[in-house]
């Protein structure tokens, strides 16, 4: 793709264009207008022009900036990807400064108000909202796959009674890779579609079984007459009744929570999905890897941590003392802050709104009072204001989940169910993107230069012993 024009003699202009640009380059205006970056390498006095496209420069263009033929070329160093775009994506748009979130161009507020989760799944995966006929067909495809193979149920039986549901969820999703070896055909669109339907159909079943397992209750088979959220509730909570009837307000609230969690562009777990998927691993193991990333307390695991934090605070009057601890650097306010949002997370706003209808049915969660006080104080406090720390999606979701009857260990699993759709939409985009290759970052090596191995008996202790002792 690149035109191969490398470093020029000092003082001359070199073009690092991805597209073919005519050479020799004498004036950047002639070839690039103003959509270029001029770089003077002070080590060599060479000047380079790098095209700017969509507000970015290509990191590979910098490789041609060299001090000599043996020089590897310039790299960017960006731990934690603070300023690196890794893909082109048409799925989700976030404006973190303005607090905007859109799926395929539609504002999240409208989607949460007017659509069901299965419509959103269709939208994220296909690019458009379904018509009534398309939705009917799509629903049929998903419910066809809600059952787990009986042997897959046995994977779950092997876990200890107190195993964390997220660990069970991750492992069982990964194990499905052995049940569906055809999933390795990642370049076959029909096979991809089948695995996508299998995963979307089965993740609520796996999630519900992890819950029943921890209680020692028998598993409940899916009921395909029910909607996506209702069926999940059926598999969680049905006891002896012949047919489970979900409370429609709670089922709708759960469906809205699923919509809000469905995708969030290149977050930590989605980056894992793409990274693992880039090796052409099958979507079951890729999804399991993404779910593992989600489980961390800085990502989807934060919702569980919020509840622990609220328990630890105990009552509203203890909030100022807790905030003082955070400001003194002792811990983080869980459910606050975001890499991208430097404004109120729009999902948190919708969750707060949905909470009212849930509490009308379940009664108010007493922790809400503590959470509201935390938010009130934090939003006025200079420490949080200066750092633009606002409540994120995890701040209020746990309070609703708990009011609905979920225990905190289940919260991240509840996040993983809908996010599976986002991971799969991003994976599908990755697989079809001709620009993508196996993900493989570079490093800045900070270790020893080459050195010779000394025979065991002649080795002296060079420095303090390393910590990892056998
Ligand atoms: N409480 C107190 N201080 C915080 C918090 C917090 N929750 N989050 C960030 N800060 C401070 C941080 O200490 C740093 O201060 P300083 O400039 O003095 O060093 C500053 O704010 C910038 O923080 P950062 O760590 O550089 O920000 P980041 O973009 O690397 O981290 C984050 C983003 C979400 C990991 C972080 O805000 C955090 O740990 N929040 C708590 C965990 C949480 O709620 N995670 C869920 C995220 S939303 C759901 C999802 O997508 O997973």
């Amino acid at each position: 793709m690149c035109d191969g024009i490398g470093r020029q003699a000092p003082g001359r202009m070199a073009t690092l264009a991805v597209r073919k640009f005519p050479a020799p380059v004498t004036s950047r205006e002639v070839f690039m207008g103003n959509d270029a970056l001029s770089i003077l390498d002070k080590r060599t006095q060479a000047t380079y022009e790098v095209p700017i496209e969509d507000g970015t420069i290509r990191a590979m263009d910098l490789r041609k900036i060299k001090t000599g033929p043996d020089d590897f070329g310039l790299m960017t160093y960006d731990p934690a990807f603070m300023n690196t775009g890794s893909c082109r994506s048409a799925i989700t748009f976030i404006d973190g400064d303005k607090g905007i979130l859109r799926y395929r161009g539609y504002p999240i507020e409208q989607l949460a108000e007017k659509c069901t989760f299965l419509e959103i799944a269709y939208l994220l995966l296909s690019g458009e909202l379904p018509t009534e006929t398309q939705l009917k067909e799509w629903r049929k495809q998903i419910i066809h796959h809600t059952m787990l193979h009986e042997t897959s149920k046995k994977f779950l039986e092997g876990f200890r009674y107190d195993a964390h549901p997220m660990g069970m969820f991750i492992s069982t999703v990964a194990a499905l890779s052995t049940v569906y070896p055809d999933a390795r055909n990642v370049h076959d669109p029909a096979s991809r579609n089948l695995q996508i339907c299998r995963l979307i159909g089965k993740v609520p079943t796996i999630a519900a079984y992890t819950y029943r397992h921890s209680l020692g209750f028998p598993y409940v088979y899916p009921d395909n007459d029910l909607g996506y959220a209702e069926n999940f509730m059926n598999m969680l909570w049905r006891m002896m009744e012949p047919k489970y009837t979900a409370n429609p307000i709670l089922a709708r609230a759960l469906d809205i929570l699923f919509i809000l969690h469905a995708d969030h562009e290149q977050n930590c777990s989605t980056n894992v999905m793409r990274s693992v998927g880039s090796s052409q691993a099958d979507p079951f193991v890729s999804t399991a890897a993404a779910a593992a990333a989600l489980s961390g307390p800085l990502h989807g695991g934060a919702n569980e941590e919020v509840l622990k934090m609220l328990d630890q605070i105990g009552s509203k009057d203890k909030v100022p003392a807790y905030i003082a601890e955070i400001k003194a650097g002792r811990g983080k306010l869980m459910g606050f802050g975001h890499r991208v949002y430097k404004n109120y997370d729009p999902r948190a706003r919708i969750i707060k709104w949905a909470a009212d209808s849930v509490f009308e049915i379940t009664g108010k969660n007493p922790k809400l009072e503590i959470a509201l006080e935390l938010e009130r104080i934090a939003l006025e406090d200079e420490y949080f204001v200066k750092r633009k720390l606002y409540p994120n999606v995890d701040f209020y979701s746990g309070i609703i989940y708990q009011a609905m009857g979920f225990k905190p260990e289940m919260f991240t699993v509840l996040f993983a169910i809908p996010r599976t759709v986002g991971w799969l939409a991003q994976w599908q985009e990755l697989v079809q993107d001709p620009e993508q290759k196996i993900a493989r970052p570079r490093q800045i090596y900070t270790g020893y230069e080459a050195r010779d191995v000394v025979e065991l008996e002649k080795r002296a202790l060079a420095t303090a012993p390393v910590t990892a002792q056998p």
Side-chain angles (χ1 to χ4, degrees), residues 177-189:
S177 153
T178 65
V179 182
Y180 304 110
D182 57 313
R184 286 183 215 147
N185 300 329
V186 294
H187 294 300
D188 173 2

Side-chain angles (χ1 to χ4, degrees), residues 334-373:
M334 298 314 283
F336 259 71
H338 200 275
R339 172 65 59 77
V340 181
Y341 291 122
K342 299 303 166 197
N343 200 326
Y344 211 102
D345 182 334
R347 302 168 299 173
R349 209 186 295 281
I350 301 170
I351 292 181
K352 227 172 138 184
W353 162 80
D356 291 338
S357 60
V358 171
F359 294 149
E360 269 175 33
I361 310 291
T362 62
K364 217 169 228 166
N365 185 335
K367 301 210 178 82
L368 180 67
E369 202 188 26
I370 307 172
L372 288 169
E373 183 68 356

Side-chain angles (χ1 to χ4, degrees), residues 259-334:
I259 292 172
L260 300 180
H261 287 86
D263 192 50
H264 212 231
E265 54 119 304
Q266 306 313 313
N267 54 82
C268 176
S269 56
T270 302
N271 181 53
V272 168
M273 182 81 190
R274 282 181 173 263
S275 196
V276 178
S278 77
S279 74
Q280 300 180 4
D282 77 56
F284 293 99
V285 289
S286 301
T287 300
L294 185 76
S295 70
L298 298 188
H299 192 8
N303 50 18
E304 187 179 336
E305 298 301 316
V306 170
L307 258 281
K308 281 191 205 152
M309 175 183 77
L310 296 177
D311 278 341
Q312 195 190 334
I313 296 171
S315 59
K316 190 176 159 184
D317 56 307
K318 306 241 173 64
V319 168
Y322 191 83
I323 296 235
E325 287 287 298
I326 301 286
K327 285 166 61 180
R330 288 187 280 277
K332 277 185 168 177
L333 200 53
M334 298 314 283

Side-chain angles (χ1 to χ4, degrees), residues 232-265:
F232 178 49
M233 292 163 85
N234 157 64
M235 293 186 288
L236 289 165
W237 292 317
R238 187 172 138 213
M239 297 306 282
M240 301 312 286
E241 65 273 37
K243 183 101 184 156
Y244 180 82
T245 319
N247 179 304
I249 293 175
L250 297 186
R252 177 64 189 142
L254 193 57
D255 208 55
I256 290 175
L257 283 158
F258 283 174
I259 292 172
L260 300 180
H261 287 86
D263 192 50
H264 212 231
E265 54 119 304

Side-chain angles (χ1 to χ4, degrees), residues 16-33:
L16 301 181
V18 173
R19 297 189 218 102
K20 274 234 182 267
F21 289 101
V25 179
T26 51
S27 153
R28 71 184 199 141
E29 280 76 28
V30 172
F31 303 112
M32 297 176 190

Side-chain angles (χ1 to χ4, degrees), residues 446-462:
T446 59
Y448 287 107
E449 291 298 322
R451 51 184 184 155
D452 293 323
V453 174
V454 178
E455 285 76 19
L456 182 61
E457 62 280 9
K458 292 188 192 156
R459 272 177 232 159
L461 204 58

